[in-house]
């Protein structure tokens, strides 16, 4: 599975867009990019995923570069409740294994 | 509502005792997972199971055991062989979507403290 690199922490002002980067320079053509977040002492929550195209849902937008070597998760109007650890994961969409590996993520702090 | 139920939420154990953490899902998901999380750290994979009666070791399986006798259930036993069992344990399940994507759904977690 491709490895990901994320900054360990970021701050964002409440109401502003939070842009969380993820580097996955060794990603393969059959690997999806997934984003999850974990609010303190809770189970992680799925946010969004994508393969090649940019994606948007009610929670966030995912921008994947054309070469797919990096991506950015965008929370358009961050609130205090968005303070959490955000995990970027890449894994194949067809695989003989369901192994699913998390890194250490980015700790986002939304400031009032 | 469909989801994953982990129990107990908090558990205290004396050294040398085995303890079993329960994980039940009613999502009809095929795959289930156990992760361990230490303070300030990411999630580390202990065991995972793709189908009933089959499971594979993750990155930190030593000192743990699992069973998958039913699709809905994937209990984790923390044995006395696990040297540092105090941690937050998370269970998850997933199903492969038509697109090929594989999204995880997590339980609320079980916090184990060894006294």
């Amino acid at each position: 599975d491709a490895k990901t690199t994320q900054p360990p922490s970021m701050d964002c002002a409440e109401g502003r867009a939070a842009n969380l980067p993820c580097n996955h320079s060794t990603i393969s053509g059959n690997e999806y990019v997934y984003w999850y977040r974990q609010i303190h002492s809770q189970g992680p929550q799925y946010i969004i995923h994508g393969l090649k195209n940019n994606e948007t849902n009610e929670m966030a937008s995912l921008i994947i570069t054309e070469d797919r070597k990096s991506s950015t998760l965008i929370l358009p109007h961050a609130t205090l409740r968005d303070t959490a650890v955000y995990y970027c994961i890449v894994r194949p969409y067809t695989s003989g294994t369901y192994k699913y590996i998390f890194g250490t993520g980015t700790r986002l702090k939304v400031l009032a | 509502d469909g989801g994953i139920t982990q129990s107990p939420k908090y558990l205290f154990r004396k050294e040398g005792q085995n303890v079993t953490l329960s994980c039940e899902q009613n999502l009809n998901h095929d795959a289930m997972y156990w992760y361990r999380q230490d303070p300030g750290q990411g999630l580390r994979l202990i065991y995972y199971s793709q189908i009933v009666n089959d499971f594979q070791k993750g990155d930190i399986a030593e000192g743990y055991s699992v069973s998958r006798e039913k699709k809905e259930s994937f209990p984790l036993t923390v044995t006395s062989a696990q040297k540092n069992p105090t941690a937050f344990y998370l269970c998850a399940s997933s199903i492969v979507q038509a697109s090929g994507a594989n999204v995880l759904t997590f339980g609320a977690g079980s916090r184990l403290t060894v006294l």
Side-chain angles (χ1 to χ4, degrees):
Chain A
D1 292 345
K3 295 187 185 299
T4 62
T5 304
Q6 298 178 254
S9 64
M10 295 180 64
D11 291 340
C12 176
E14 188 179 19
R16 303 296 295 269
N19 297 285
L20 292 92
C22 180
N23 181 286
H24 32 79
S25 58
T26 59
I27 193 170
S28 299
N30 67 345
E31 290 183 314
Y32 274 96
V33 179
Y34 297 82
W35 283 84
Y36 291 79
R37 74 179 182 184
Q38 186 179 23
I39 296 170
H40 184 62
S41 295
Q42 297 181 20
Q45 174 191 25
Y46 163 78
I47 303 173
I48 199 167
H49 71 277
L51 186 62
K52 298 178 183 177
N53 301 320
N54 299 336
E55 303 288 344
T56 296
N57 63 20
E58 65 278 5
M59 292 183 67
S61 294
L62 174 61
I63 308 298
I64 302 174
T65 58
E66 193 169 340
D67 64 7
R68 302 187 69 242
K69 293 181 183 297
S70 65
S71 60
T72 300
L73 179 74
I74 301 173
L75 308 178
H77 305 286
T79 71
L80 298 179
R81 287 175 293 181
D82 292 321
T83 292
V85 178
Y86 287 79
Y87 297 98
C88 169
I89 299 156
V90 294
R91 67 184 307 280
Y93 68 80
T94 55
S95 173
T97 177
Y98 280 59
K99 197 171 182 180
Y100 215 114
I101 304 298
F102 283 72
T104 53
T106 296
R107 188 173 298 275
L108 175 69
K109 187 174 182 179
V110 180
L111 306 173
Chain B
D1 287 338
I4 297 181
T5 301
Q6 290 188 241
S7 63
K9 189 171 177 63
Y10 298 95
L11 185 62
F12 297 88
R13 182 195 103 175
K14 293 181 179 179
E15 281 193 33
Q17 288 181 335
N18 291 355
V19 62
T20 298
L21 307 180
S22 170
C23 179
E24 302 279 334
Q25 55 103 354
N26 60 3
L27 299 166
N28 200 32
H29 285 178
D30 292 311
M32 297 188 73
Y33 310 76
W34 274 104
Y35 292 89
R36 168 184 172 137
Q37 187 172 37
D38 294 287
Q41 304 298 313
L43 282 69
R44 291 186 291 168
L45 183 63
I46 305 173
Y47 269 98
Y48 62 104
S49 168
Q50 297 177 213
I51 56 172
V52 174
N53 293 322
D54 186 50
F55 48 83
Q56 287 79 40
K57 293 182 179 179
D59 297 322
I60 56 164
E62 185 175 351
Y64 299 97
S65 66
V66 294
S67 63
R68 187 84 188 277
E69 298 176 1
K70 299 186 301 181
K71 187 175 186 178
E72 302 80 18
S73 179
F74 192 40
L76 174 74
T77 297
V78 184
T79 74
S80 57
Q82 169 50 234
K83 300 302 181 187
N84 298 294
T86 294
F88 187 47
Y89 290 88
L90 287 157
C91 179
S93 70
S94 73
I95 192 167
V96 179
Q97 299 173 0
S99 64
N102 186 9
V103 174
L104 293 181
T105 301
F106 280 87
S110 293
R111 190 168 298 279
L112 172 64
T113 302
V114 174
L115 305 173

